[in-house]
Amino acid sequence: MYGSDPYIFTATNKTTGTVYKTTVSANSNKTLSNCETGSYTVSYEQASGYLIYATTGSWDAATLDDGYIRTYTLK
């Protein structure tokens, strides 16, 4: 559905505005560690492999209380 190209995931703390970014390779996942406690909005953008427009999207992440945000590639 989304292809095999990498995606850039951005997690933004809704209260402080702190931004965490990571690139996730196709068919893999990555953990953002040492993130501050809070509620996050997560967005993604296709890093490469598109012709005109990158695939993008976003969602609200649950409140973070363990210091880690897990991101996944889209399938």
Side-chain angles (χ1 to χ4, degrees):
M1 176 177 180
Y2 289 99
S4 60
D5 299 300
Y7 285 80
I8 299 168
F9 280 80
T10 304
T12 306
N13 186 298
K14 292 181 183 180
T15 303
T16 65
T18 303
V19 175
Y20 301 93
K21 282 190 174 191
T22 188
T23 300
V24 181
S25 300
N27 301 315
S28 65
N29 59 61
K30 187 176 279 190
T31 301
L32 296 173
S33 58
N34 300 317
C35 301
E36 62 191 2
T37 299
S39 183
Y40 284 80
T41 299
V42 179
S43 62
Y44 60 87
E45 180 175 358
Q46 189 175 356
S48 63
Y50 54 89
L51 297 176
I52 299 173
Y53 300 107
T55 300
T56 62
S58 64
W59 69 91
D60 282 336
T63 299
L64 178 71
D65 58 6
D66 62 359
Y68 297 95
I69 299 171
R70 194 143 176 94
T71 60
Y72 299 91
T73 51
L74 308 168
K75 297 181 181 181

